[in-house]
Amino acid sequence: MEVGKLKKPKKKDKKIATSIKKKNKDIKTAKCFSRCAVTLTVISIIVAAVAYHVYTEVLHIPELPAVDLDVWWGPNHTKHSQDTAIRPFRIVFSDAMQEQLVKKFDHHRRLDKHKSFDDTAWTYGVHSSAREQIFSFWQYKYKIKERERFFNQFHHFKTNVQGLDLHFMRVRPEVENVKALPIILLHGWPNSFREFYDAAPLLTTQRSDYDFVFEVIVPSLPGFGFSQGAVRPGLGPFQVAIVMRNLMNRLGFNKYYVHGGDFGHVIGSIMATLFPNEVLGFHSNMPLTLAKPLVFGRVLGAVWPTFVDAHHWRKMYPLKEKIEILIEETGYSHLQATKPDTIGIALNESPVGLATYIFDKIMIFTDANNKYLEDGGLAKYYNDSMTDLIDNVMVYWVSESITTSMRIYKEVSSVELTLEQIPTSVPTWFLCLNNESFYNPEILLRWKYPNLIDTTTYDDYGGNFAALKRPQQLADDVFYACNAPAGLAVANLRRQDAAGAALSHNSHKSRN
């Protein structure tokens, strides 16, 4: 063999090398398939876990919580001596109360009061100039004895329900041979039964194009106004809904309509969910639900607003801007949900402090842009007359109920969130005013309210407190909602027919 020449590999060696390469390739392929299989398995497990989580936490409908109709919220020693009579009640602004108020006003007038910054309007809270405007009106223009007569123009009563002396107003229609539909009107915070003084007579007055009127029940929620507060923790919206249902039954109403706004919406919604065989229809001026699918709808709308609501999407978006407004304007709710008694002590000591605290919430939730006006929108919305607003403050001041009213925020629990995930079959109708802070479109509301008949939307003015600022439109909408061709009354009859048909079908199956 010549030096430097390479020896050619034999055919056998080539075959061995080729075989080794093929085996290595097969091993790599097998490993690749194995990794892919493991990856797909892991992904499948993750997807299944996410799907299960979405189902259980978002789409799953929980069972109704247990309902105890007899929970006792009053002192234990009164259980065996409960007076269930319906007793007439009169609102009195006593001389002693007026003398105390004068002394408080004199003290306020002598104080060396701090002034607000220039050009900040109500962005730091009620401006000092508006505070003095409120104080001056209350002291010099608010006629206490005249307002006492105004409050007593309707019949007021008290009765004891579940240990609590509840105050309510009852307005009967003054007509004969006309069907009267019972309806309970539920206020929220910081409002009171006074909110419905203009709407109540509009609902009890016969209209030429309707063959019915309403008999109106307006309670003070437990702990609000002249209704006794609970003596122990736990009286949240869920339990208040039961108390309100028992009040209606006490008055002889086993079938009735419900209207609510603010916390009244929350309580009314729970009544419709818990007692669908009693609530004929639910009307609300707060189009809100906390159902979990709402979060996904809101996020989707942030990307594609007109898909969620083609006509009123600007009420919800830009999402970042709306969230920032809610965070800024709902700080009070965190305070009241944690330490209501602390702030209550301060407010019960100062009538001017109480008034400004309540005014701030009402004016901002009437129109969030009011905070950019030095008078907070008082001239715009109340024509320089604050009588209606002071009336509401007087309810809290005379009854010393601001502390017990704020406790409802503390008493909200997981049971209310659970109830938000349970659809209600009761026919529902929403009224939405232009500046409503908690607006949600029908496509999202229908998860909670599958029997949502319609929504009336006003694009001019008004906000969270419809009965206070738009009583005529509220009354019109309640009438229309109950009488429309596909309104609450018709929908309720269809619901009852469907329930009857299902019961008959199940009965037939059991016989067979």
Side-chain angles (χ1 to χ4, degrees):
M1 186 169 85
E2 294 181 7
V3 178
K5 267 193 176 179
L6 294 174
K7 186 179 180 181
K8 291 183 179 180
K10 295 181 180 179
K11 289 184 179 181
K12 187 176 180 181
D13 293 337
K14 285 183 178 181
K15 287 182 179 180
I16 292 172
T18 303
S19 176
I20 291 172
K21 287 181 181 180
K22 186 178 179 183
K23 284 182 180 180
N24 289 337
K25 187 177 180 181
D26 290 342
I27 291 171
K28 287 182 180 179
T29 303
K31 285 182 178 180
C32 183
F33 278 118
S34 178
R35 289 195 192 101
C36 289
V38 171
T39 302
L40 288 172
T41 301
V42 171
I43 291 173
S44 299
I45 292 172
I46 292 172
V47 169
V50 170
Y52 179 75
H53 180 76
V54 170
Y55 171 73
T56 56
E57 295 297 323
V58 180
L59 301 177
H60 173 66
I61 298 174
E63 294 183 2
L64 277 173
V67 176
D68 185 349
L69 300 177
D70 301 310
V71 177
W72 195 259
W73 296 107
N76 286 327
H77 71 270
T78 63
K79 272 188 178 182
H80 304 295
S81 58
Q82 182 187 18
D83 180 7
T84 58
I86 298 171
R87 312 181 303 276
F89 175 74
R90 183 174 179 79
I91 296 170
V92 177
F93 294 158
S94 68
D95 292 339
M97 182 277 298
Q98 293 181 62
E99 290 174 7
Q100 182 203 43
L101 200 56
V102 169
K103 290 179 181 178
K104 294 282 188 181
F105 285 160
D106 287 342
H107 176 69
H108 174 80
R109 193 168 50 249
R110 291 194 300 269
L111 288 175
D112 183 15
K113 295 176 280 294
H114 293 286
K115 291 187 177 181
S116 298
F117 294 125
D118 294 335
D119 303 322
T120 57
W122 283 34
T123 57
Y124 279 66
V126 177
H127 196 275
S128 58
S129 62
R131 177 195 64 205
E132 294 310 303
Q133 185 182 351
I134 295 166
F135 166 67
S136 178
F137 184 93
W138 195 355
Q139 183 175 28
Y140 299 114
K141 296 183 180 180
Y142 186 79
K143 308 301 182 183
I144 288 184
K145 283 302 177 182
E146 287 183 14
R147 300 317 294 171
E148 181 183 76
R149 289 191 291 272
F150 172 85
F151 270 104
N152 287 297
Q153 66 180 291
F154 300 122
H155 295 293
H156 295 261
F157 303 89
K158 279 194 174 185
T159 189
N160 193 279
V161 178
Q162 295 176 246
L164 300 177
D165 272 347
L166 297 182
H167 159 255
F168 64 94
M169 186 172 80
R170 187 170 189 171
V171 187
R172 289 186 170 97
E174 297 181 2
V175 292
E176 296 181 358
N177 303 319
V178 177
K179 180 170 58 178
L181 306 178
I183 185 169
I184 181 171
L185 307 180
L186 300 171
H187 65 82
W189 190 94
N191 254 318
S192 64
F193 67 93
R194 169 62 181 86
E195 179 182 8
F196 296 107
Y197 261 62
D198 293 332
L202 296 173
L203 292 169
T204 57
T205 300
Q206 187 177 6
R207 303 186 178 199
S208 59
D209 46 349
Y210 294 94
D211 62 355
F212 63 89
V213 290
F214 292 95
E215 180 170 351
V216 175
I217 307 298
V218 185
S220 292
L221 299 179
F224 286 72
F226 303 106
S227 284
Q228 184 181 358
V231 301
R232 60 187 60 85
L235 188 59
F238 167 60
Q239 295 291 348
V240 173
I242 296 171
V243 173
M244 293 296 100
R245 175 264 183 189
N246 287 344
L247 171 64
M248 292 300 282
N249 282 192
R250 171 73 55 79
L251 299 178
F253 301 122
N254 296 315
K255 303 281 186 181
Y256 48 88
Y257 290 89
V258 177
H259 164 80
D262 193 73
F263 257 112
H265 159 80
V266 177
I267 294 164
S269 178
I270 293 173
M271 290 176 71
T273 304
L274 294 179
F275 309 110
N277 294 326
E278 295 187 21
V279 177
L280 298 172
F282 175 49
H283 184 275
S284 170
N285 63 268
M286 189 175 180
L288 171 69
T289 174
L290 298 178
K292 292 177 182 178
L294 176 71
V295 177
F296 293 94
R298 283 275 191 175
V299 173
L300 174 61
V303 179
W304 189 0
T306 55
F307 176 80
V308 175
D309 193 330
H311 302 291
H312 305 289
W313 60 269
R314 287 183 179 84
K315 294 179 184 292
M316 299 185 295
Y317 304 103
L319 189 60
K320 179 177 179 290
E321 176 185 313
K322 300 301 181 183
I323 290 175
E324 287 174 348
I325 291 173
L326 283 177
I327 290 173
E328 180 180 355
E329 300 301 342
T330 56
Y332 74 95
S333 64
H334 179 71
L335 176 61
Q336 294 171 193
T338 53
K339 301 296 177 65
D341 288 21
T342 301
I343 185 65
I345 292 170
L347 297 177
N348 266 329
E349 285 298 312
S350 169
V352 178
L354 177 66
T356 54
Y357 192 71
I358 290 176
F359 269 55
D360 180 65
K361 306 304 172 288
I362 289 180
M363 296 313 300
I364 297 304
F365 284 105
T366 295
D367 184 348
N369 289 318
N370 281 337
K371 67 183 177 183
Y372 301 116
L373 303 175
E374 187 166 317
D375 72 342
L378 290 171
K380 176 181 178 181
Y381 284 95
Y382 290 94
N383 300 317
D384 296 320
S385 176
M386 292 175 271
T387 299
D388 293 349
L389 296 177
I390 297 294
D391 278 348
N392 185 58
V393 175
M394 284 290 287
V395 171
Y396 284 96
W397 180 256
V398 172
S399 63
E400 299 183 5
S401 63
I402 189 64
T403 301
T404 52
S405 72
M406 292 189 296
R407 286 176 183 165
I408 195 169
Y409 286 83
K410 178 77 170 178
E411 303 296 357
V412 174
S413 66
S414 60
V415 69
E416 282 81 19
L417 185 58
T418 297
L419 285 161
E420 282 293 306
Q421 316 312 316
I422 302 174
T424 176
S425 60
V426 170
T428 302
W429 192 294
F430 282 102
L431 167 66
C432 181
L433 300 186
N434 186 52
N435 300 316
E436 174 57 60
S437 301
F438 301 100
Y439 175 81
N440 285 296
E442 288 188 12
I443 192 173
L444 300 182
L445 291 170
R446 288 188 186 280
W447 175 267
K448 168 64 180 170
Y449 306 102
N451 207 354
L452 176 60
I453 308 305
D454 207 346
T455 298
T456 305
T457 303
Y458 286 95
D459 292 324
D460 44 9
Y461 77 99
N464 189 254
F465 307 107
L468 188 64
K469 281 312 302 168
R470 305 296 297 270
Q472 184 67 58
Q473 286 74 13
L474 173 65
D476 291 348
D477 202 57
V478 171
F479 265 103
Y480 184 75
C482 289
N483 196 57
L488 300 180
V490 174
N492 184 64
L493 289 174
R494 290 173 180 165
R495 180 171 64 106
Q496 291 177 344
D497 290 343
L503 182 64
S504 176
H505 177 68
N506 291 338
S507 176
H508 178 72
K509 283 175 66 178
S510 63
R511 286 197 300 270
N512 290 341

